[in-house]
Amino acid sequence: AVAAMAPCGEAASLLLLLLLVLPPASAGLSGYFGTKSRYEEVNPHLLRDPLSLGPGAAESPPAACAPLQLRAVLRHGTRYPTAGQVRRLGELHARLLRRPAEPTACPAAAALAAWPMWYEESLDGRLAPQGRRDMEQLARRLAARFPALFAARRRLALASSSKHRCLQSGAAFRRGLGPDLSLGGDEVEVQVNDSLMRFFDHCAKFVALVEENDAAMCQVSAFKEGPEMKKVLEKVASALCLPVEELNADLVQVAFLTCSYELAIKNVTSPWCSLFTEEDAKVLEYLNDLKQYWKRGYGYDINSRSSCILFQDIFQHLDKAVEESKSSKPISSPLIVQVGHAETLQPLLALMGFFKDEEPLLANNFARQTHRKFRSGRIVPYAANLVFVLYHCDHMNASREEYQVQMLLNERPMSFHHSNETISTYADLKDYYRDILENCHFKDECELPKVNVTAVDEL
């Protein structure tokens, strides 16, 4: 059933602002921030050495294989909150200042009132300094992992969504390669390509039936009103010495994510984090994952089908590299790096069938999903990256094995569905995804239905 959205009165709006103020989380919370997670949560060895290649570095293709092409789809680095979030946070902080709490009776509220509000609306989702470091260090690690491809004078094609944080991430990636790698020139222009990096904006069916359709998020709405969220709500209200009626799930989630921002941006633990335990964090992570699942993942077919324009583009470039190699021509595009969003990567991975649970994520199965595969913070944290590497292999028994592919997610080799191996022949991979490559047509997939049907019927 579609759960009605809880009405947001003035008190609730102010509380939402309070919750948005949440700063970074402590070690116990940091693994549950979903799409607002630090990249180091999936690669903790980077906390010790930001340039370490980690445990996956030893996994390499056969010795007789040489890389021909690398195609990387990146999520931008760590960013600031949006203007709307900053605005709500400022209003919430002002409310705490107007209603000073007695430190002995309500220490959490008093600490939050004393917290210095430093965010400005002008930051509006822009790349943070940590986000630039994310990209520069990723570039250096990829160059160290694939030195032949990142050798001097190899051409680098850089593309990005039109969002400022993505353009800056692309520039930071290029900067991370340093002056020794000319890559076709000292300055590589970042080309804007929203048709690939923001395909979801150009898919009318997705926009109308999912993005702008509250009914499509009925599972999210129902979980907000469910027993797990109510328990968290009551705990936070008590900690803030506020009537529970002044809080709702959106406000609590905003507080939790503000905690995550401070950790990711400044590497500090804020007083906002003190409102939550690890058990609370698991509930709030599930709320975030529910939204990702139903809006960007397996909830509706159009979520992933809209990404086939990007999927097919990846294989078209791989095809071209194979043909050039067979003709003994230089590879025209040995390095293709594109910077988008969590919303770019999540549908693409769903289209390919990764991180799919046997049971869908629902409002009423939180406990059964404790060990779910679909955890957005493990899949698309800040600076998430999906890398395809095409190899040419000499001395193979069959021509079918001459070209092979490796896929890495967040710099870790992924096992292919059809083989459970981390290396596949290119021919086998294309066979496995033949239906998507041949029969997923973006224009047809994204066309709104001509007849007047409900969103539920169509989806």
Side-chain angles (χ1 to χ4, degrees):
V2 177
M5 296 295 288
C8 280
E10 181 180 356
S13 299
L14 289 172
L15 186 48
L16 173 57
L17 295 176
L18 170 60
L19 297 169
L20 277 172
V21 176
L22 283 183
S26 64
L29 307 182
S30 61
Y32 303 100
F33 287 142
T35 54
K36 304 301 186 290
S37 296
R38 301 181 299 177
Y39 188 66
E40 290 79 5
E41 300 305 324
V42 297
N43 284 314
H45 60 273
L46 298 177
L47 290 169
R48 299 185 298 274
D49 178 4
L51 297 181
S52 167
L53 299 187
E59 295 193 45
S60 59
C65 297
L68 291 180
Q69 184 182 72
L70 180 146
R71 172 69 173 265
V73 182
L74 318 180
R75 184 193 179 191
H76 58 76
T78 303
R79 67 166 174 83
Y80 291 110
T82 62
Q85 291 168 327
V86 173
R87 188 161 51 248
R88 289 190 294 272
L89 175 58
E91 292 169 7
L92 174 60
H93 194 244
R95 177 177 179 176
L96 290 176
L97 293 174
R98 288 195 301 270
R99 290 177 45 178
E102 174 58 44
T104 54
C106 204
L112 289 170
W115 175 74
M117 169 62 182
W118 63 274
Y119 294 101
E120 298 178 357
E121 289 186 40
S122 60
L123 294 172
D124 193 22
R126 288 179 174 256
L127 198 68
Q130 178 58 47
R132 294 186 183 89
R133 289 191 288 273
D134 292 339
M135 291 290 112
E136 290 172 1
Q137 291 163 357
L138 173 61
R140 292 176 67 182
R141 292 193 302 271
L142 286 177
R145 191 184 294 268
F146 302 104
L149 284 175
F150 285 85
R153 307 202 178 280
R154 299 304 296 274
R155 179 174 179 268
L156 169 66
L158 260 179
S160 165
S161 98
S162 57
K163 293 294 182 181
H164 194 270
R165 56 186 171 272
C166 295
L167 289 165
Q168 283 201 329
S169 290
F173 184 93
R174 173 62 189 88
R175 210 161 41 242
L177 297 176
D180 294 336
L181 295 175
S182 62
L183 296 163
D186 292 335
E187 293 299 324
V188 175
E189 185 178 354
V190 182
Q191 300 288 336
V192 172
N193 192 336
D194 278 342
S195 64
L196 290 183
M197 293 296 98
R198 294 184 64 85
F199 51 78
F200 41 88
D201 282 345
H202 301 267
C203 184
K205 183 176 180 180
F206 169 77
V207 171
L209 301 187
V210 180
E211 181 74 49
E212 296 178 352
N213 178 20
D214 289 343
M217 295 297 107
C218 61
Q219 295 297 328
V220 179
S221 302
F223 188 73
K224 288 178 180 180
E225 302 299 324
E228 295 89 0
M229 275 304 304
K230 284 190 175 179
K231 183 178 177 182
V232 176
L233 234 158
E234 290 166 358
K235 287 175 63 177
V236 172
S238 175
L240 293 174
C241 298
L242 286 170
V244 70
E245 295 76 20
E246 291 191 19
L247 281 178
N248 62 31
D250 291 333
L251 294 176
V252 171
Q253 190 179 36
V254 160
F256 182 61
L257 292 180
T258 303
C259 173
S260 77
Y261 280 124
E262 298 260 292
L263 179 65
I265 294 169
K266 300 176 75 174
N267 196 28
V268 299
T269 297
S270 150
W272 285 102
C273 303
S274 67
L275 295 177
F276 304 98
T277 65
E278 188 171 357
E279 289 306 308
D280 301 330
K282 291 176 181 178
V283 174
L284 289 159
E285 179 197 29
Y286 193 68
L287 177 58
N288 187 345
D289 286 349
L290 267 179
K291 180 179 178 182
Q292 291 295 317
Y293 183 89
W294 288 96
K295 185 169 278 191
R296 306 294 179 182
Y298 291 104
Y300 303 108
D301 283 345
I302 189 59
N303 299 348
S304 59
R305 298 290 285 185
S306 62
S307 74
C308 66
I309 187 172
L310 174 58
F311 184 75
Q312 290 164 347
D313 186 78
I314 290 169
F315 277 82
Q316 285 165 9
H317 280 93
L318 293 171
D319 281 346
K320 185 177 181 183
V322 168
E323 291 306 313
E324 288 171 338
S325 171
K326 286 180 176 179
S327 303
S328 300
K329 295 178 181 177
I331 305 304
S332 54
S333 299
L335 289 172
I336 304 172
V337 177
Q338 299 169 309
V339 188
H341 307 263
E343 297 86 348
T344 311
L345 277 168
Q346 191 77 76
L348 180 63
L349 288 162
L351 184 71
M352 299 179 72
F354 289 104
F355 308 106
K356 186 174 186 178
D357 295 284
E358 291 184 11
E359 186 178 2
L361 274 63
L362 302 170
N364 63 2
N365 66 0
F366 167 73
R368 294 197 301 277
Q369 294 286 11
T370 300
H371 302 292
R372 66 189 180 277
K373 299 174 186 175
F374 193 93
R375 292 186 64 200
S376 59
R378 313 299 298 178
I379 305 169
V380 286
Y382 293 126
N385 49 90
L386 178 63
V387 176
F388 294 78
V389 186
L390 175 69
Y391 295 91
H392 177 256
C393 302
D394 290 327
H395 312 301
M396 286 299 168
N397 295 330
S399 59
R400 187 177 180 85
E401 298 176 356
E402 187 178 355
Y403 295 95
Q404 302 197 21
V405 181
Q406 183 183 40
M407 262 196 335
L408 300 94
L409 178 66
N410 301 326
E411 301 174 76
R412 297 189 177 194
M414 298 181 76
S415 295
F416 293 99
H417 291 304
H418 61 277
S419 65
N420 280 331
E421 302 289 340
T422 57
I423 297 287
S424 169
T425 69
Y426 185 52
D428 286 348
L429 185 63
K430 286 187 68 175
D431 282 347
Y432 184 76
Y433 289 114
R434 183 172 303 282
D435 183 63
I436 299 172
L437 292 171
E438 294 180 355
N439 300 315
C440 186
H441 304 291
F442 182 81
K443 183 178 179 182
D444 296 336
E445 300 284 348
C446 290
E447 188 176 11
L448 275 170
K450 297 282 194 299
V451 293
N452 185 21
V453 296
T454 67
V456 174
D457 288 341
E458 175 60 24
L459 292 168

